[in-house]
Amino acid sequence: MYDVLVIGGGAAGFFAAIHIAESRPHTKIAILERGKEVLTKVKVSGGGRCNVTHAEFNPSDLSKNYPRGEKELLGPFHTYASGDTVGFFEERGVALKIEEDGRMFPVSNSSQTIIDCFLSEADRLGIQVKTHCSVTGIEHTEEEGTKKWKVAVGDSFMFCNKLVLATGSNPKMWNYIESLGHTIVPPVPSLFTFNIKDERIIDIPGVATHAEVKVIPKKNVGKKSSRLKLDASNLTSEGPLLVTHWGMSGPAILKLSAWGARILEQYNYQFKIQVNWVPEYHQDGLLALLLKVKQVEKKTVLRTKVLDIPKRLWANLVNASGIEDTVTWPAVSKQQLTILAEQLTAGIFQVNGKSTFKEEFVTAGGVNLKEINFKTYESKILTGLYFAGEIINVDAITGGFNFQNAWTGAFIAAKGVVNDLNTNSE
């Protein structure tokens, strides 16, 4: 018989178990992991460096990075946010650093540092870590007037007083939770890149620049879309854009994929985007600039890059505007420059499908947020059941925010579990 079972040996599961054990020594805790290794997502995150959190220390601003969960996370972030995460790791000898874009990594630049920290703490606190433990059922039972949790692991059973579910985007676990009376918001991919085959970008993979990207809304997507009240009219993002072998990626694209997760799924990932490669200009203003350059420049349009964008991108957009390589500024027509201004500020690209962003697969969907008490992360439907991490319908844009959701939820769930155990033991 355990005091607490934590299902899921990932970031949220370890964080919850560590805080429970620290606050309440001698509590019998086990982490159950279905795989042969724990913390696998931590290992691959941030290209193997582990993007621990983001240097956004204001709870209100921090919550704005969550397409699902912004309102619900505001209170929890006042309890535990990025600064607390930094403190947790630094107290355990893991120094973090802030990069230019605000992402925070261990100074070691290795996710193994975070993994070693968790494993060391689990060992120090006497937390049992059990791998190859695939949960095959969960029941809420009553013995001698006391509610207990009965967890089926293969052909055997484990019992506990409090249950913490931190299994991430696990469809099997969602099915078990649904059978217990919870509502599951259907999952759809959240962080993904756009598949685009287009002559303007096909030969320039690796080119990166600051851009503004907008999804062009579709008029008729079907009854399902209108029922969900999906609106793509405000799906706009600005930031670094990376041209890849398969299309477009980078923060500008990933933000769009997160905020538009449900809309783009309704579009079956077939839609058009409008790209402004020079967000500081609008089309008319840029045309006026190009016409001024025409009056003073004598070289070819191709060789005279008048804007702060990569040379290869400039060359491709010049060619796409029907301007030949040998055409000089005096010889270029106003019509050609009008098309060039449009290509630079309002180019239309067809998206046909998506690709997973590296190994960092994130899902929108999970336990309905209305069924969770965000002061404790306890189920409103079943007492003694707590949630942490991506198992609930919360997800974020890229940049360390998904991990921060895991740390915050796990900390508050741990606090709720400890208070609950202490109350029941009095």
Side-chain angles (χ1 to χ4, degrees):
M1 177 74 182
Y2 288 86
D3 294 305
V4 184
L5 284 177
V6 178
I7 304 179
F14 267 84
F15 213 67
I18 288 166
H19 280 96
I20 294 166
E22 273 208 322
S23 299
R24 199 173 188 272
H26 312 301
T27 302
K28 194 176 180 186
I29 307 167
I31 296 172
L32 309 183
E33 167 57 43
R34 63 177 174 167
K36 63 179 180 179
E37 290 181 12
V38 293
L39 300 162
T40 52
K41 200 166 182 180
V42 170
K43 193 177 182 90
V44 300
S45 85
R49 294 196 298 146
C50 189
N51 185 183
V52 175
T53 186
H54 201 94
E56 177 51 78
F57 303 107
N58 179 293
S60 179
D61 293 335
L62 180 59
S63 68
K64 289 182 171 62
N65 294 285
Y66 296 82
R68 268 93 15 209
E70 177 181 349
K71 181 182 71 173
E72 290 82 1
L73 287 174
L74 187 56
F77 282 154
H78 275 94
T79 299
Y80 198 95
S82 306
D84 301 292
T85 301
V86 174
F88 171 87
F89 286 107
E90 289 191 341
E91 284 166 16
R92 289 155 181 80
V94 179
L96 303 181
K97 60 177 179 175
I98 303 172
E99 302 207 335
E100 276 186 27
D101 58 3
R103 292 182 303 161
M104 298 191 74
F105 294 88
V107 170
S108 66
N109 272 332
S110 172
S111 57
Q112 194 61 44
T113 306
I114 304 299
I115 293 169
D116 291 345
C117 171
F118 284 152
L119 293 176
S120 170
E121 285 295 276
D123 184 55
R124 177 180 73 85
L125 295 163
I127 298 164
Q128 296 178 32
V129 179
K130 297 176 176 289
T131 54
H132 298 289
C133 279
S134 184
V135 172
T136 52
I138 300 172
E139 289 180 51
H140 203 202
T141 63
E142 190 169 329
E143 290 181 15
E144 298 175 1
T146 306
K147 292 280 189 181
K148 304 282 183 193
W149 288 96
K150 181 180 178 183
V151 178
V153 180
D155 296 328
S156 60
F157 296 97
M158 299 174 77
F159 294 86
C160 64
N161 291 314
K162 308 299 169 192
L163 186 63
V164 179
L165 299 183
T167 49
S169 305
N170 183 333
K172 190 183 286 185
M173 194 55 60
W174 279 329
N175 288 339
Y176 296 148
I177 297 166
E178 206 163 28
S179 69
L180 291 167
H182 269 285
T183 310
I184 302 299
V185 177
V188 296
S190 178
L191 284 184
F192 50 86
T193 60
F194 295 173
N195 294 350
I196 300 169
K197 286 187 178 178
D198 192 288
E199 290 295 324
R200 291 166 289 179
I201 61 169
I202 203 163
D203 62 343
I204 57 169
V207 164
T209 189
H210 193 88
E212 182 185 63
V213 188
K214 180 180 181 181
V215 172
I216 297 174
K218 288 185 174 183
K219 288 182 180 176
N220 299 306
V221 187
K223 293 178 182 176
K224 192 178 178 185
S225 174
S226 59
R227 179 170 57 81
L228 290 171
K229 297 179 181 177
L230 300 178
D231 179 14
S233 61
N234 295 318
L235 269 184
T236 303
S237 170
E238 186 176 327
L241 186 153
L242 173 67
V243 177
T244 68
H245 288 286
W246 57 87
M248 293 182 188
S249 184
I253 297 297
L254 294 168
K255 280 183 200 171
L256 269 192
S257 75
W259 287 102
R262 296 215 167 267
I263 297 169
L264 302 183
E265 190 261 346
Q266 288 293 316
Y267 289 174
N268 199 27
Y269 308 106
Q270 307 286 323
F271 56 95
K272 291 178 181 176
I273 56 171
Q274 184 181 78
V275 180
N276 184 345
W277 300 100
V278 280
E280 62 271 28
Y281 290 98
H282 55 76
Q283 194 171 333
D284 292 343
L286 183 56
L287 176 60
L289 172 69
L290 296 176
L291 290 171
K292 283 181 183 176
V293 174
K294 173 178 166 61
Q295 293 171 1
V296 297
E297 186 56 68
K298 305 299 181 190
K299 295 178 185 174
T300 63
V301 177
L302 186 74
R303 290 182 60 194
T304 314
K305 181 172 71 76
V306 299
L307 297 162
D308 186 22
I309 63 171
K311 282 183 181 178
R312 290 192 293 162
L313 177 61
W314 168 264
N316 281 7
L317 295 180
V318 166
N319 290 153
S321 305
I323 302 171
E324 305 235 341
D325 294 1
T326 55
V327 173
T328 61
W329 281 96
V332 72
S333 69
K334 181 180 178 182
Q335 184 182 2
Q336 286 174 315
L337 290 181
T338 300
I339 296 170
L340 178 57
E342 183 180 7
Q343 286 286 355
L344 286 159
T345 61
I348 306 297
F349 293 82
Q350 175 67 46
V351 178
N352 292 306
K354 59 175 176 55
S355 295
T356 302
F357 175 58
K358 298 183 181 175
E359 299 89 351
E360 298 174 46
F361 186 73
V362 174
T363 300
V367 180
N368 191 317
L369 303 185
K370 291 177 181 176
E371 299 171 358
I372 300 165
N373 176 355
F374 279 91
K375 290 181 179 177
T376 59
Y377 277 72
E378 186 177 18
S379 163
K380 288 181 179 178
I381 293 170
L382 296 158
T383 56
L385 176 64
Y386 295 80
F387 302 104
E390 210 187 315
I391 190 169
I392 66 176
N393 185 27
V394 168
D395 64 284
I397 63 173
T398 185
F401 299 107
N402 281 298
F403 269 136
Q404 187 54 54
N405 168 52
W407 313 137
T408 297
F411 175 83
I412 296 174
K415 203 173 165 185
V417 167
V418 168
N419 289 339
D420 212 352
L421 287 171
N422 287 341
T423 301
N424 291 339
S425 64
E426 286 173 2

CSV table of all heavy atoms in Angstrom, one decimal, residues 42-81:
chain,number,residue,atom,x,y,z
A,42,VAL,N,12.4,14.9,-21.6
A,42,VAL,CA,13.4,15.9,-21.1
A,42,VAL,C,14.7,15.7,-21.9
A,42,VAL,O,15.4,16.7,-22.2
A,42,VAL,CB,13.6,15.7,-19.6
A,42,VAL,CG1,14.8,16.5,-19.1
A,42,VAL,CG2,12.4,16.0,-18.8
A,43,LYS,N,15.1,14.5,-22.1
A,43,LYS,CA,16.4,14.2,-22.8
A,43,LYS,C,16.5,14.8,-24.2
A,43,LYS,O,17.5,15.4,-24.5
A,43,LYS,CB,16.5,12.7,-22.9
A,43,LYS,CG,17.9,12.2,-23.3
A,43,LYS,CD,18.0,10.7,-23.3
A,43,LYS,CE,19.4,10.3,-23.7
A,43,LYS,NZ,20.3,10.1,-22.5
A,44,VAL,N,15.4,14.8,-24.9
A,44,VAL,CA,15.4,15.3,-26.3
A,44,VAL,C,15.1,16.7,-26.5
A,44,VAL,O,15.3,17.3,-27.5
A,44,VAL,CB,14.6,14.4,-27.3
A,44,VAL,CG1,15.0,13.0,-27.3
A,44,VAL,CG2,13.1,14.5,-26.9
A,45,SER,N,14.5,17.3,-25.4
A,45,SER,CA,14.0,18.7,-25.6
A,45,SER,C,15.1,19.7,-25.8
A,45,SER,O,16.2,19.5,-25.3
A,45,SER,CB,13.2,19.1,-24.3
A,45,SER,OG,14.0,19.6,-23.3
A,46,GLY,N,14.7,20.7,-26.6
A,46,GLY,CA,15.7,21.8,-26.8
A,46,GLY,C,16.9,21.3,-27.6
A,46,GLY,O,18.1,21.7,-27.3
A,47,GLY,N,16.8,20.3,-28.4
A,47,GLY,CA,17.9,19.7,-29.2
A,47,GLY,C,18.9,19.0,-28.2
A,47,GLY,O,20.1,19.0,-28.5
A,48,GLY,N,18.4,18.4,-27.2
A,48,GLY,CA,19.2,17.7,-26.2
A,48,GLY,C,19.8,18.6,-25.1
A,48,GLY,O,20.6,18.2,-24.3
A,49,ARG,N,19.4,19.9,-25.1
A,49,ARG,CA,19.9,20.8,-24.1
A,49,ARG,C,18.9,21.1,-23.0
A,49,ARG,O,19.2,21.6,-22.0
A,49,ARG,CB,20.3,22.2,-24.8
A,49,ARG,CG,21.4,22.1,-25.8
A,49,ARG,CD,22.0,23.5,-26.1
A,49,ARG,NE,21.0,24.3,-26.7
A,49,ARG,CZ,20.9,25.7,-26.5
A,49,ARG,NH1,21.8,26.2,-25.7
A,49,ARG,NH2,20.0,26.4,-27.1
A,50,CYS,N,17.6,20.8,-23.3
A,50,CYS,CA,16.5,20.9,-22.3
A,50,CYS,C,16.2,22.4,-22.0
A,50,CYS,O,16.8,23.0,-21.2
A,50,CYS,CB,16.7,20.2,-21.0
A,50,CYS,SG,15.2,20.2,-20.0
A,51,ASN,N,15.2,22.9,-22.8
A,51,ASN,CA,14.7,24.2,-22.6
A,51,ASN,C,13.8,24.3,-21.3
A,51,ASN,O,12.6,24.1,-21.4
A,51,ASN,CB,13.9,24.6,-23.8
A,51,ASN,CG,13.5,26.1,-23.9
A,51,ASN,OD1,12.8,26.5,-24.8
A,51,ASN,ND2,13.8,26.9,-22.8
A,52,VAL,N,14.4,24.5,-20.2
A,52,VAL,CA,13.8,24.3,-18.9
A,52,VAL,C,12.6,25.2,-18.6
A,52,VAL,O,11.5,24.8,-18.2
A,52,VAL,CB,14.8,24.5,-17.7
A,52,VAL,CG1,14.2,24.4,-16.4
A,52,VAL,CG2,15.9,23.4,-17.8
A,53,THR,N,12.7,26.5,-19.0
A,53,THR,CA,11.6,27.4,-18.8
A,53,THR,C,11.9,28.7,-19.7
A,53,THR,O,12.8,28.6,-20.5
A,53,THR,CB,11.5,27.8,-17.3
A,53,THR,OG1,10.3,28.6,-17.2
A,53,THR,CG2,12.7,28.5,-16.8
A,54,HIS,N,11.2,29.7,-19.4
A,54,HIS,CA,11.4,31.0,-20.2
A,54,HIS,C,11.6,32.1,-19.2
A,54,HIS,O,11.0,32.2,-18.1
A,54,HIS,CB,10.2,31.2,-21.1
A,54,HIS,CG,10.5,32.2,-22.2
A,54,HIS,ND1,10.9,31.7,-23.5
A,54,HIS,CD2,10.5,33.5,-22.3
A,54,HIS,CE1,11.1,32.8,-24.3
A,54,HIS,NE2,10.8,33.9,-23.6
A,55,ALA,N,12.4,33.1,-19.6
A,55,ALA,CA,12.7,34.2,-18.7
A,55,ALA,C,11.6,35.2,-18.7
A,55,ALA,O,11.8,36.4,-19.1
A,55,ALA,CB,14.0,34.8,-19.0
A,56,GLU,N,10.4,34.8,-18.5
A,56,GLU,CA,9.2,35.7,-18.4
A,56,GLU,C,8.7,35.5,-16.9
A,56,GLU,O,8.1,34.5,-16.6
A,56,GLU,CB,8.1,35.3,-19.4
A,56,GLU,CG,6.9,36.1,-19.3
A,56,GLU,CD,7.1,37.6,-19.3
A,56,GLU,OE1,7.4,38.1,-20.4
A,56,GLU,OE2,7.1,38.2,-18.2
A,57,PHE,N,9.0,36.5,-16.1
A,57,PHE,CA,8.8,36.4,-14.7
A,57,PHE,C,7.5,37.0,-14.2
A,57,PHE,O,7.1,36.9,-13.0
A,57,PHE,CB,10.0,36.9,-13.9
A,57,PHE,CG,11.3,36.2,-14.3
A,57,PHE,CD1,12.2,36.9,-15.1
A,57,PHE,CD2,11.5,34.9,-13.9
A,57,PHE,CE1,13.4,36.3,-15.5
A,57,PHE,CE2,12.7,34.3,-14.3
A,57,PHE,CZ,13.6,34.9,-15.1
A,58,ASN,N,6.7,37.7,-15.1
A,58,ASN,CA,5.4,38.2,-14.7
A,58,ASN,C,4.3,37.2,-15.0
A,58,ASN,O,4.2,36.8,-16.1
A,58,ASN,CB,5.2,39.5,-15.5
A,58,ASN,CG,3.9,40.2,-15.2
A,58,ASN,OD1,2.8,39.6,-15.5
A,58,ASN,ND2,4.0,41.4,-14.6
A,59,PRO,N,3.6,36.8,-14.0
A,59,PRO,CA,2.6,35.8,-14.2
A,59,PRO,C,1.6,36.1,-15.3
A,59,PRO,O,1.2,35.2,-16.1
A,59,PRO,CB,1.9,35.7,-12.8
A,59,PRO,CG,2.9,36.1,-11.8
A,59,PRO,CD,3.7,37.2,-12.5
A,60,SER,N,1.1,37.3,-15.3
A,60,SER,CA,0.2,37.7,-16.3
A,60,SER,C,0.7,37.6,-17.8
A,60,SER,O,0.1,37.1,-18.7
A,60,SER,CB,-0.3,39.2,-16.1
A,60,SER,OG,-1.2,39.6,-17.1
A,61,ASP,N,2.0,38.1,-18.0
A,61,ASP,CA,2.6,38.0,-19.3
A,61,ASP,C,2.9,36.5,-19.6
A,61,ASP,O,2.8,36.1,-20.7
A,61,ASP,CB,3.9,38.8,-19.3
A,61,ASP,CG,3.6,40.3,-19.2
A,61,ASP,OD1,2.4,40.7,-19.6
A,61,ASP,OD2,4.4,41.1,-18.8
A,62,LEU,N,3.3,35.8,-18.6
A,62,LEU,CA,3.7,34.4,-18.8
A,62,LEU,C,2.5,33.6,-19.3
A,62,LEU,O,2.6,32.8,-20.2
A,62,LEU,CB,4.2,33.8,-17.5
A,62,LEU,CG,4.6,32.3,-17.4
A,62,LEU,CD1,5.7,32.0,-18.4
A,62,LEU,CD2,5.0,31.9,-16.0
A,63,SER,N,1.3,33.8,-18.7
A,63,SER,CA,0.1,33.1,-19.1
A,63,SER,C,-0.4,33.3,-20.5
A,63,SER,O,-1.1,32.5,-21.1
A,63,SER,CB,-1.0,33.4,-18.1
A,63,SER,OG,-1.5,34.7,-18.3
A,64,LYS,N,0.1,34.4,-21.1
A,64,LYS,CA,-0.3,34.8,-22.5
A,64,LYS,C,0.3,33.9,-23.5
A,64,LYS,O,0.1,34.0,-24.7
A,64,LYS,CB,0.0,36.3,-22.8
A,64,LYS,CG,-0.9,37.2,-22.0
A,64,LYS,CD,-0.6,38.7,-22.3
A,64,LYS,CE,-1.7,39.6,-21.8
A,64,LYS,NZ,-1.8,39.6,-20.3
A,65,ASN,N,1.2,33.0,-23.1
A,65,ASN,CA,1.9,32.1,-24.0
A,65,ASN,C,1.2,30.8,-24.2
A,65,ASN,O,1.8,29.8,-24.7
A,65,ASN,CB,3.4,31.9,-23.6
A,65,ASN,CG,4.2,33.2,-23.7
A,65,ASN,OD1,4.5,33.6,-24.8
A,65,ASN,ND2,4.4,33.9,-22.6
A,66,TYR,N,0.0,30.7,-23.6
A,66,TYR,CA,-0.7,29.4,-23.6
A,66,TYR,C,-2.0,29.5,-24.4
A,66,TYR,O,-3.0,30.1,-23.9
A,66,TYR,CB,-1.0,29.0,-22.2
A,66,TYR,CG,0.3,28.7,-21.4
A,66,TYR,CD1,1.0,29.7,-20.8
A,66,TYR,CD2,0.8,27.4,-21.3
A,66,TYR,CE1,2.2,29.5,-20.2
A,66,TYR,CE2,2.0,27.2,-20.6
A,66,TYR,CZ,2.7,28.2,-20.1
A,66,TYR,OH,3.9,28.0,-19.5
A,67,PRO,N,-2.1,29.0,-25.6
A,67,PRO,CA,-3.3,29.0,-26.4
A,67,PRO,C,-4.5,28.4,-25.7
A,67,PRO,O,-5.6,28.8,-25.7
A,67,PRO,CB,-3.0,28.3,-27.7
A,67,PRO,CG,-1.5,28.4,-27.8
A,67,PRO,CD,-1.0,28.4,-26.4
A,68,ARG,N,-4.2,27.2,-25.0
A,68,ARG,CA,-5.2,26.6,-24.1
A,68,ARG,C,-4.7,26.7,-22.7
A,68,ARG,O,-3.6,26.2,-22.4
A,68,ARG,CB,-5.4,25.1,-24.5
A,68,ARG,CG,-6.5,24.9,-25.5
A,68,ARG,CD,-6.2,24.8,-26.9
A,68,ARG,NE,-4.9,24.7,-27.4
A,68,ARG,CZ,-4.5,25.2,-28.6
A,68,ARG,NH1,-5.4,25.9,-29.3
A,68,ARG,NH2,-3.3,25.0,-29.0
A,69,GLY,N,-5.4,27.4,-21.8
A,69,GLY,CA,-5.0,27.4,-20.4
A,69,GLY,C,-4.6,28.8,-19.9
A,69,GLY,O,-4.3,29.0,-18.7
A,70,GLU,N,-4.6,29.8,-20.8
A,70,GLU,CA,-4.2,31.2,-20.4
A,70,GLU,C,-4.9,31.7,-19.1
A,70,GLU,O,-4.3,32.1,-18.2
A,70,GLU,CB,-4.4,32.2,-21.5
A,70,GLU,CG,-4.1,33.6,-21.2
A,70,GLU,CD,-4.3,34.6,-22.3
A,70,GLU,OE1,-4.6,34.1,-23.4
A,70,GLU,OE2,-4.3,35.8,-22.0
A,71,LYS,N,-6.2,31.5,-19.1
A,71,LYS,CA,-7.0,32.1,-18.0
A,71,LYS,C,-6.8,31.2,-16.7
A,71,LYS,O,-6.6,31.7,-15.7
A,71,LYS,CB,-8.5,32.0,-18.4
A,71,LYS,CG,-9.5,32.6,-17.3
A,71,LYS,CD,-10.9,32.5,-17.8
A,71,LYS,CE,-11.4,31.0,-17.8
A,71,LYS,NZ,-12.8,30.9,-18.1
A,72,GLU,N,-6.8,29.9,-16.9
A,72,GLU,CA,-6.7,29.0,-15.8
A,72,GLU,C,-5.3,29.1,-15.1
A,72,GLU,O,-5.2,28.8,-13.9
A,72,GLU,CB,-7.0,27.5,-16.2
A,72,GLU,CG,-8.4,27.3,-16.6
A,72,GLU,CD,-8.8,27.7,-18.0
A,72,GLU,OE1,-7.9,28.2,-18.7
A,72,GLU,OE2,-9.9,27.6,-18.4
A,73,LEU,N,-4.3,29.3,-15.9
A,73,LEU,CA,-2.9,29.3,-15.3
A,73,LEU,C,-2.5,30.6,-14.6
A,73,LEU,O,-1.5,30.6,-13.9
A,73,LEU,CB,-1.9,29.1,-16.5
A,73,LEU,CG,-1.9,27.6,-17.0
A,73,LEU,CD1,-0.9,27.6,-18.2
A,73,LEU,CD2,-1.4,26.6,-15.9
A,74,LEU,N,-3.3,31.6,-14.7
A,74,LEU,CA,-2.9,32.9,-14.1
A,74,LEU,C,-2.8,32.8,-12.6
A,74,LEU,O,-1.7,33.2,-12.0
A,74,LEU,CB,-4.0,34.0,-14.4
A,74,LEU,CG,-3.6,35.4,-14.0
A,74,LEU,CD1,-2.3,35.9,-14.5
A,74,LEU,CD2,-4.7,36.4,-14.4
A,75,GLY,N,-3.7,32.1,-11.9
A,75,GLY,CA,-3.6,31.9,-10.5
A,75,GLY,C,-2.4,31.1,-10.1
A,75,GLY,O,-1.6,31.4,-9.3
A,76,PRO,N,-2.3,29.9,-10.7
A,76,PRO,CA,-1.2,29.0,-10.4
A,76,PRO,C,0.2,29.7,-10.6
A,76,PRO,O,1.1,29.4,-9.9
A,76,PRO,CB,-1.4,27.8,-11.4
A,76,PRO,CG,-2.8,27.7,-11.6
A,76,PRO,CD,-3.3,29.2,-11.6
A,77,PHE,N,0.3,30.5,-11.7
A,77,PHE,CA,1.6,31.2,-11.9
A,77,PHE,C,1.9,32.2,-10.8
A,77,PHE,O,3.1,32.6,-10.6
A,77,PHE,CB,1.6,31.9,-13.3
A,77,PHE,CG,1.8,30.9,-14.4
A,77,PHE,CD1,1.4,31.2,-15.7
A,77,PHE,CD2,2.5,29.7,-14.2
A,77,PHE,CE1,1.6,30.4,-16.8
A,77,PHE,CE2,2.7,28.8,-15.3
A,77,PHE,CZ,2.2,29.2,-16.6
A,78,HIS,N,0.9,32.7,-10.1
A,78,HIS,CA,1.2,33.6,-9.0
A,78,HIS,C,1.7,32.7,-7.8
A,78,HIS,O,2.3,33.3,-6.9
A,78,HIS,CB,-0.1,34.3,-8.5
A,78,HIS,CG,-0.3,35.6,-9.3
A,78,HIS,ND1,-1.1,35.6,-10.5
A,78,HIS,CD2,0.2,36.8,-9.2
A,78,HIS,CE1,-1.1,36.9,-10.9
A,78,HIS,NE2,-0.3,37.6,-10.2
A,79,THR,N,1.4,31.4,-7.8
A,79,THR,CA,1.9,30.6,-6.8
A,79,THR,C,3.3,30.0,-7.1
A,79,THR,O,4.2,30.0,-6.3
A,79,THR,CB,1.0,29.4,-6.6
A,79,THR,OG1,-0.3,29.9,-6.2
A,79,THR,CG2,1.5,28.4,-5.5
A,80,TYR,N,3.5,29.6,-8.4
A,80,TYR,CA,4.8,29.0,-8.8
A,80,TYR,C,5.0,29.3,-10.3
A,80,TYR,O,4.2,28.9,-11.1
A,80,TYR,CB,4.7,27.5,-8.6
A,80,TYR,CG,6.1,26.8,-8.6
A,80,TYR,CD1,6.7,26.6,-7.4
A,80,TYR,CD2,6.7,26.5,-9.7
A,80,TYR,CE1,8.0,26.0,-7.3
A,80,TYR,CE2,7.9,25.9,-9.7
A,80,TYR,CZ,8.6,25.6,-8.5
A,80,TYR,OH,9.8,25.0,-8.5
A,81,ALA,N,6.1,30.1,-10.6
A,81,ALA,CA,6.3,30.5,-11.9
A,81,ALA,C,7.8,30.3,-12.3
A,81,ALA,O,8.6,29.6,-11.6
A,81,ALA,CB,5.9,31.9,-12.2
